[in-house]
């Protein structure tokens, strides 16, 4: 399904790490593939402690910010913490307000509304803060791009401290202090802190100590914002998750409860897929304040109520995303039919601007095309939206070429946000598709999977998989490994689930085996035969059932270079096997006209080709509906089609295999019988003879025909007369006898041979090594 890009770690390096650190080869391969190749560096990485955190005063302007804040507290000035509406933003607000409250500050928070105010500093909101008495504004997770807005706040007489981690532009805002891990005048050792990480550093500097209860919030914001999980971030998340598993914080307990997950087994994936989306939901649909209130409350009842509220908002968000996605796909079908453009640019009136980025992600994932999804406001004439891209199409660069019609846009290679006039949407669509023709190729339009941990089944067991906990958290810059197991045998292949839309394999490597599950891959089971050699990629996990634990692979992709034979022999009703055959690039072939007639009613709408009529070449799938008259015909067909998959049905109108050929004693008796009588009426008296000898009626007709072809008898109007013959002739000289021999042998080889023998015969045909002289 994807292009496999395999990077194999150095075997000597893996062996060295395994020996020096006393870890499994799986752990060593993960470390080595991520550039951690020195044993001492690996030890420090695996066993991080508080020494991984840097002095907060190494951040530029930290001393100035602390001085301003403490002065404001000392003079009872009102402090406003100005945040953002995503998970990083609400955790940043929660962290800093908690620290300020500990210091006795008169503090409150403000978060802009996504729809009314947009992202970042807002003059209208700053005026509101001023009017309710704020003397100091501290931004968290935003502010670095708000040059005019910060200047406006300063003009009102307020002090402003910016804490942010987003990209710094050419000009810095005129704030009183700017705390940023990549400040051009600073020298902080780690530049990849999330917004909540920067807020946490300010909190630590203010308090003069590390407030350990804040680790939980820092972990949530850091994971949710997809910053690199290396260095200081790794320690903050690792420590935060450790504490989250045992915390009494009502918010964590309530969120895990509504998310249906175990608090004691929380991981970075729990945060990314369960906790983060619920905290994000409030800001996506409206006011983000309930998320902050939940994170800070010490009342379990309030926490439970707020968690249920966020869970309901998340479900509403999911329903909105599903509905917009459905509408978007219907729009795509109407606009493009069966063709898929290089770039999607679609929009709908009234689509929720807070979720269009998620919709764009879904379209990109489904079609593997760059996608821009816009929310159209007919009153203002403006379309606002989000973009997601694929490798090979730098979304920011390509949008920059359209800056003349994009008054507002920003982002990076894989994602962007923008606004433009509705009247320019068609132009943007046309331009981007023309631009895509210059940079996208058929290869780049096929998704790529990066595989960095090739394994063998012998390396995998429950203890090894459970030991991977030491390597967590996985995330940006320390990605979750994509495992690959090569050259395995599929011992069993079956569909599972009520709708049979999932697949389960038993994979074998010598005497070792491993279960593998492919969710949503039930259709792939129809393309695999037991015994086929294949390679798989995916994720390894421990499957626990009834107290028993065993390793299991969650299949990401499957690769097989081996041609496959699907045995449909004996399955009479076409309705039972027809659905398993791919409809595209498939040739249905019959060798006899009566077979075509037989299947016409049960295979309506499917074209059946009669062998010898027309030419075919290089198709993926070949369906053999019946047996040929000669092996040569089948060999010619396979050589012409060169299929990856052969479906052998081999329907026969009348099998001769079990009848066999009459023995020479039967021929001898019958000929003596004819000579004694001088002739025999097989039409009127044949039934009596077959009953007397316990033969089939066809046996008498067949022997009569053989004798006729050899010149021993003459048949006229059903009467067999003995001829005067000279010399002996062998039965095998009769064409009918030869034909019956050939038919029986062909049925034996194709229709009644065990699967493995039939597969081997097809192998010889495909390899072009059939020796016809032996047949």
């Amino acid at each position: 399904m994807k292009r496999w890009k395999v990077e194999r770690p150095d075997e000597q390096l893996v062996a060295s790490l395994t020996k020096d650190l006393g870890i499994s080869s799986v752990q060593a391969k993960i470390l080595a593939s991520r550039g951690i190749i020195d044993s001492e560096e690996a030890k420090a990485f695996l066993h991080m402690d508080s020494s991984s955190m840097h002095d907060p005063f190494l951040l530029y302007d930290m001393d100035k910010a602390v001085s301003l804040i403490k002065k404001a507290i000392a003079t009872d000035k009102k402090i406003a913490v100005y945040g953002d509406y995503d998970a990083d933003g609400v955790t940043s607000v929660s962290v800093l307000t908690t620290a300020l409250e500990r210091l006795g500050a008169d503090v409150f928070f403000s978060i802009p509304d996504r729809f009314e105010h947009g992202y970042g500093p807002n003059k209208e909101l700053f005026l509101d803060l001023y009017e309710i008495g704020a003397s100091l504004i501290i931004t968290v997770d935003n502010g670095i791009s708000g040059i005019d807005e910060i200047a406006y706040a300063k003009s009102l007489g307020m002090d402003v401290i910016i804490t942010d981690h987003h990209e710094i532009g050419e000009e810095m805002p005129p704030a009183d202090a700017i705390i940023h891990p990549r400040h051009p005048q600073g020298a902080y050792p780690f530049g990849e802190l999330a917004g909540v990480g920067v807020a946490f550093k300010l909190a630590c500097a203010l308090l003069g100590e590390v407030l350990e209860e804040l680790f939980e919030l820092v972990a949530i914001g850091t994971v949710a914002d997809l910053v690199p999980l290396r260095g200081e971030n790794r320690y903050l998340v690792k420590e935060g998750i450790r504490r989250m598993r045992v915390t009494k914080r009502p918010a964590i307990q309530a969120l895990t409860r509504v998310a249906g997950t175990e608090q004691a087994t929380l991981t970075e994936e729990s945060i990314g897929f369960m906790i983060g989306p619920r905290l994000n939901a409030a800001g996506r649909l409206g006011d983000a304040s309930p998320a902050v209130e939940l994170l800070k409350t010490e009342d379990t009842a309030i926490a439970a109520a707020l968690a249920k509220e966020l869970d309901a908002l998340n479900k509403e968000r999911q329903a909105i995303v599903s509905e917009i996605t459905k509408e978007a796909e219907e729009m795509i079908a109407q606009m493009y039919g069966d063709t898929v453009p290089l770039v999607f640019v679609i929009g709908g009136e009234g689509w929720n601007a807070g979720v269009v980025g998620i919709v764009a992600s879904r379209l990109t994932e489904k079609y593997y095309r760059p996608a821009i999804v816009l929310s159209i406001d007919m009153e203002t004439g403006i379309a606002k939206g989000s973009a997601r891209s694929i490798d090979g199409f730098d979304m920011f660069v390509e949008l920059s070429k359209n800056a003349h019609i994009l008054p507002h846009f920003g982002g990076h290679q894989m994602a962007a946000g923008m606004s433009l006039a509705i009247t320019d949407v068609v132009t943007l669509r046309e331009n981007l598709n023309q631009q895509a023709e210059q940079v996208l190729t058929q290869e780049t339009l096929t998704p790529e999977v990066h595989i960095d941990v090739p394994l063998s089944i012998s390396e995998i067991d429950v203890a090894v998989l459970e030991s991977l906990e030491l390597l967590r958290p996985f995330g940006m810059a320390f990605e979750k490994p994509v495992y690959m197991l090569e050259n395995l045998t599929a011992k069993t292949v079956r569909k599972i689930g009520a709708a049979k839309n999932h697949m389960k394999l038993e994979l074998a490597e010598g005497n070792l085996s491993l279960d593998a599950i492919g969710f949503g891959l039930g259709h792939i089971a129809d393309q695999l035969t037991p015994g086929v050699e294949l390679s798989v990629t995916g994720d390894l996990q421990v499957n626990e059932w009834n107290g028993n634990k065993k390793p299991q692979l969650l299949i990401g992709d499957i690769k097989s270079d081996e041609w496959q034979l699907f045995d449909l022999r004996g399955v009479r009703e076409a309705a039972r096997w027809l659905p398993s055959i791919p409809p595209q690039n498939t040739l249905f072939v019959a060798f006899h006209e009566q077979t075509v007639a037989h299947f016409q009613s049960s295979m309506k709408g499917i074209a059946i080709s009669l062998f010898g009529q027309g030419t075919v070449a290089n198709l993926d799938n070949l369906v053999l509906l019946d047996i040929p008259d000669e092996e040569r015909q089948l060999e010619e067909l396979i050589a012409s089609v060169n299929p990856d998959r052969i479906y052998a049905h081999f329907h026969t109108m009348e099998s001769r295999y079990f009848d066999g050929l009459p023995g020479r004693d039967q021929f001898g008796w019958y000929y003596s019988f004819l000579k004694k009588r001088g002739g025999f009426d097989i039409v009127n008296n044949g039934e009596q003879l077959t009953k007397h000898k316990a033969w089939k009626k066809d046996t008498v007709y067949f022997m009569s025909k053989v004798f006729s072809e050899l010149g021993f008898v003459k048949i006229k109007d059903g009467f067999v007369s003995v001829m005067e013959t000279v010399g002996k002739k062998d039965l095998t000289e009769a064409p009918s006898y030869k034909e019956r021999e050939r038919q029986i042998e062909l049925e034996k080889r194709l229709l009644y041979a065990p699967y493995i023998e039939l597969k081997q015969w097809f192998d010889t045909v495909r390899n072009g090594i059939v020796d016809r002289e032996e047949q």
Side-chain angles (χ1 to χ4, degrees):
M1 294 178 284
K2 298 179 180 179
R3 289 180 292 128
W4 291 18
K5 184 177 181 181
V6 182
E7 298 178 8
R8 301 177 187 274
D10 182 88
E11 292 183 8
Q12 289 186 336
L13 182 59
V14 169
S16 176
L17 289 173
T18 302
K19 180 181 178 181
D20 293 348
L21 301 176
I23 59 177
S24 70
S25 61
V26 178
Q27 292 170 306
K29 286 180 180 180
I30 295 172
L31 291 172
S33 66
R34 282 145 184 73
I36 302 174
I37 57 178
D38 178 76
S39 294
E40 291 304 315
E41 179 190 3
K43 285 180 184 178
F45 182 84
L46 294 175
H47 306 287
M48 301 183 85
D49 56 30
S50 59
S51 65
S52 301
M53 292 192 296
H54 305 296
D55 183 345
F57 285 97
L58 293 176
L59 284 158
Y60 189 81
D61 271 356
M62 180 63 81
D63 52 351
K64 190 185 297 185
V66 168
S67 177
L68 277 171
I69 294 169
K70 288 188 172 180
K71 180 180 178 182
I73 295 172
T75 56
D76 294 324
K77 302 285 182 161
K78 192 179 288 290
I79 301 173
V81 175
Y82 186 87
D84 186 25
Y85 37 67
D86 65 3
D88 190 16
V90 297
T91 51
S92 298
V93 169
S94 301
V95 163
L96 190 55
T97 54
T98 296
L100 290 170
E101 287 163 358
R102 290 289 178 96
L103 294 170
D106 181 4
V107 60
F108 68 101
F109 70 88
S110 175
I111 299 175
D113 183 285
R114 180 192 295 265
F115 306 100
E116 184 179 353
H117 307 114
Y119 167 79
N122 180 275
K123 291 181 180 179
E124 181 183 340
L125 274 179
F126 281 175
L127 179 59
D128 290 343
L129 299 180
Y130 173 75
E131 290 179 345
I132 59 177
S135 295
L136 170 63
I137 295 175
I138 308 173
T139 71
V140 289
D141 193 32
N142 75 97
I144 198 65
S145 62
I147 297 170
D148 293 340
E149 291 82 2
I150 300 301
Y152 176 73
K154 292 291 296 176
S155 72
L156 295 174
M158 294 185 288
D159 292 329
V160 180
I161 297 171
I162 292 174
T163 74
D164 201 355
H165 72 120
H166 293 95
E167 291 301 321
I168 300 173
E170 294 181 3
E171 183 181 353
M172 301 272 274
D176 296 279
I178 297 177
I179 302 175
H180 193 293
R182 297 186 300 281
H183 196 293
Q185 294 176 261
Y188 192 69
F190 184 72
E192 301 296 339
L193 291 171
V196 70
V198 182
F200 177 68
K201 304 306 288 188
L202 177 56
C204 293
L206 285 168
L207 294 168
E209 62 176 347
V210 176
L211 194 57
E212 293 183 343
E213 67 189 60
L214 296 179
F215 276 120
E216 302 157 18
L217 305 184
V218 177
I220 293 172
T222 301
V223 170
D225 213 51
L226 302 177
V227 291
L229 294 189
R230 289 289 187 106
E232 196 166 9
N233 281 345
R234 177 175 170 81
Y235 176 73
L236 294 173
V237 172
K238 197 174 184 74
E239 182 64 14
I241 290 175
R242 185 185 72 79
R243 292 175 177 275
M244 287 174 71
R245 292 173 175 173
V246 296
T247 186
K248 300 297 183 182
R249 184 185 290 270
I252 305 300
Q253 294 180 338
L255 282 169
T256 53
R257 197 175 299 118
V258 297
T261 189
E262 290 289 333
Q263 182 180 343
T265 58
L266 282 173
T267 66
E268 67 279 7
E269 291 182 338
S270 310
I271 295 173
F273 294 107
M274 296 180 177
I275 292 176
R278 285 169 171 80
L279 293 176
N280 275 325
R284 287 193 183 277
L285 301 184
D287 182 12
S289 298
V292 176
E293 295 166 9
L294 168 60
L295 292 173
K296 294 187 65 178
T297 187
E298 297 179 3
D299 188 304
T300 55
I302 293 175
L306 287 169
K308 286 181 180 178
E309 179 183 339
L310 293 187
D311 187 54
L313 287 171
N314 190 51
K315 289 175 180 175
E316 181 183 348
R317 186 269 306 169
Q318 291 171 331
I320 292 171
V321 168
S322 296
E323 182 60 29
I324 295 177
T325 302
K326 179 182 176 183
E327 291 179 19
E329 291 182 346
E330 289 173 351
M331 193 176 297
I332 288 169
Q334 292 172 0
M335 292 172 65
Y336 302 107
D338 293 333
T339 61
V340 179
L342 293 177
V343 181
F344 290 116
V345 179
I346 59 173
E349 185 176 355
W351 284 359
N352 188 306
V355 302
V356 291
I358 301 175
V359 177
S361 294
R362 289 196 177 182
L363 295 180
T364 296
E365 182 178 350
K366 179 176 180 177
Y367 297 100
Y368 201 67
R369 295 289 190 275
I372 295 176
V373 180
L374 302 165
S375 173
I376 293 174
D377 187 335
M378 297 303 293
E379 289 187 12
T380 63
I382 298 296
K384 293 182 178 180
S386 294
R388 299 293 184 269
S389 195
I390 62 176
D391 287 333
F393 191 84
D394 189 321
M395 185 59 75
F396 183 78
V397 168
E398 301 303 332
L399 287 176
S400 298
K401 297 174 184 177
N402 296 273
H404 59 289
I405 59 171
L406 294 172
H408 302 287
F409 76 96
H412 50 81
Q413 180 178 343
M414 302 301 286
M418 74 217 67
S419 64
L420 69 160
I422 296 172
T423 52
D424 289 327
V425 171
V426 172
T427 302
L428 180 64
R429 179 186 299 128
E430 293 174 348
N431 289 354
L432 289 178
N433 274 280
Q434 290 173 5
Q435 292 164 216
E437 291 177 359
Q438 306 302 314
V439 295
L440 292 177
T441 64
Q442 194 58 45
E443 182 176 334
T444 56
L445 289 173
T446 302
E448 185 175 73
V449 57
H450 295 265
I451 300 164
D452 51 5
V453 187
L455 299 175
S456 63
I457 293 180
S458 61
E459 296 178 88
I460 303 167
D461 59 34
V462 170
V464 166
L465 297 185
E466 290 181 339
S467 73
L468 297 182
E469 175 69 24
L470 183 63
L471 274 66
R472 289 185 178 275
F474 296 112
M476 297 294 291
F478 192 72
E479 289 79 5
K480 191 174 183 179
V482 177
Y483 301 103
M484 176 179 69
L485 292 97
E486 298 176 278
N487 304 322
L488 307 178
T489 301
K491 288 178 66 176
T492 60
V493 180
R494 60 191 179 98
K495 294 181 180 182
I496 60 173
K500 301 298 181 185
N501 58 330
H502 309 305
M503 175 178 65
K504 184 170 185 179
L505 304 178
E506 183 183 1
L507 303 173
E509 182 182 69
N511 295 324
L512 301 175
S513 64
L514 176 70
D515 287 343
I517 299 290
F519 291 109
L521 298 181
H523 62 288
I524 299 295
D526 291 329
Q527 302 174 42
L528 297 174
T529 52
V532 66
E533 287 192 4
L534 47 76
S535 299
V536 291
T537 70
D539 183 29
L540 288 165
Q541 61 175 210
V542 176
N543 181 37
E544 186 168 358
W545 177 255
N546 287 337
N548 296 317
K549 294 181 177 181
K550 61 188 302 188
Q552 178 176 270
L553 177 79
L554 291 181
I555 300 171
D557 202 1
I558 297 180
K559 175 184 177 183
S560 178
D561 296 324
E562 183 180 7
W563 82 274
Q564 295 181 73
L565 173 65
F566 294 83
D567 192 352
L568 306 178
R569 298 173 298 176
V571 186
R572 290 186 174 276
E573 299 83 6
R576 290 177 55 192
W577 52 262
L578 196 57
S580 68
I581 298 176
Q584 284 83 31
N585 217 15
T586 298
L587 177 67
F588 291 82
V589 173
F591 292 92
H592 306 97
E593 290 185 356
Q594 58 264 43
T595 303
V596 177
H598 173 79
F599 282 104
Q600 278 179 338
S601 60
S602 58
M603 295 173 58
K604 291 180 179 178
I606 295 178
I608 301 175
S609 298
L610 189 63
F611 175 77
Q613 296 182 3
T615 57
V616 292
N618 295 326
L619 292 171
D620 291 341
N621 313 298
L622 174 62
V623 183
L624 301 171
L625 295 175
D626 59 4
I627 290 178
D629 293 323
E630 300 178 30
E631 286 185 11
R632 173 188 54 79
Q633 296 173 317
L634 189 51
E635 294 166 14
E636 289 177 4
L637 178 63
I638 293 172
S640 172
V641 176
N642 191 28
D644 294 325
R645 290 178 285 274
I646 296 176
Y647 297 82
H649 181 52
F650 291 151
H651 171 78
T652 55
M653 292 295 185
E654 191 174 9
S655 174
R656 300 296 185 188
Y657 178 73
F658 292 107
D659 294 343
L661 282 164
R664 291 186 178 273
D665 57 335
Q666 290 174 289
F667 275 103
W669 185 94
Y670 183 49
Y671 186 66
S672 298
F673 170 79
L674 292 174
K675 284 186 72 174
K676 287 179 182 178
R677 290 196 170 209
F680 183 65
D681 186 346
I682 59 175
V683 174
N684 295 312
N685 301 320
E687 188 173 345
Q688 295 177 11
L689 177 62
T690 57
K691 286 182 178 179
H692 173 69
K693 296 297 292 180
W695 292 344
K696 288 186 176 182
K697 188 175 181 180
D698 176 74
T699 302
V700 176
Y701 278 92
F702 174 69
M703 289 191 295
S704 300
K705 187 176 182 181
V706 170
F707 287 153
S708 173
E709 291 173 348
L710 293 174
F712 294 164
V713 302
K714 181 175 70 173
I715 303 174
K716 184 177 181 181
D717 298 329
F719 190 85
V720 182
S721 304
V722 177
M723 303 287 291
E724 292 295 330
T725 59
V726 179
K728 291 185 177 182
K729 292 184 180 180
D730 195 274
L731 295 173
T732 58
E733 295 180 46
S736 295
Y737 194 94
K738 290 181 179 178
E739 175 60 30
R740 180 68 65 90
E741 266 190 329
R742 184 164 55 242
Q743 183 181 6
I744 290 172
E745 180 60 29
L746 207 52
E747 287 186 16
K748 176 184 177 182
R749 177 164 288 176
L750 300 180
L751 190 58
Y752 297 108
Y755 174 86
I756 189 65
E757 291 181 12
L758 183 64
K759 178 78 159 47
Q760 288 170 350
W761 183 83
F762 273 110
D763 276 331
T764 63
V765 173
R766 289 175 59 86
N767 294 332
I769 58 173
V770 172
D771 185 357
R772 294 191 180 89
E773 293 182 0
E774 294 180 357
Q775 300 176 22

